[in-house]
Amino acid sequence: YIGDFTLELTDDGLRETAPGRVTEVGYDKIQNIVEDRRWIYIFIGSITAIIVPYSAFPTREDKEVFIAALEEKRAAAAGQ
């Protein structure tokens, strides 16, 4: 999906809400989380990712809190 969407960290996984659809991805399905200078890539397959722009976060601290929470939930789902 390309366009505006809302991404939530729920107890069970990531919930992506876009106009006309809701997609849920379990934390155990996240293969990798990668950042570059402007984007966060949440890989749920070898070539499939949820791409979140840094501009989605009001502050750098908010971005860091999101990534830390996502990593924590991913590790918990993997039993680490």
Side-chain angles (χ1 to χ4, degrees):
Y1 177 80
I2 297 175
D4 291 338
F5 63 91
T6 301
L7 192 61
E8 295 176 75
L9 303 181
T10 69
D11 290 341
D12 299 321
L14 289 170
R15 178 180 297 137
E16 182 183 0
T17 305
R21 75 180 183 103
V22 175
T23 303
E24 296 194 30
V25 177
Y27 295 113
D28 61 324
K29 303 295 185 212
I30 298 173
Q31 296 181 1
N32 201 6
I33 302 167
V34 177
E35 294 182 71
D36 67 12
R37 293 181 308 165
R38 296 178 42 204
W39 308 92
I40 302 167
Y41 302 88
I42 305 167
F43 284 93
I44 54 175
S46 59
I47 60 171
T48 303
I50 298 169
I51 303 170
V52 183
Y54 284 175
S55 63
F57 302 94
T59 68
R60 181 178 180 172
E61 182 177 303
D62 290 330
K63 174 188 67 91
E64 298 299 330
V65 167
F66 173 81
I67 293 170
L70 184 58
E71 290 281 12
E72 181 180 312
K73 290 178 179 290
R74 178 180 170 223
Q80 299 176 353

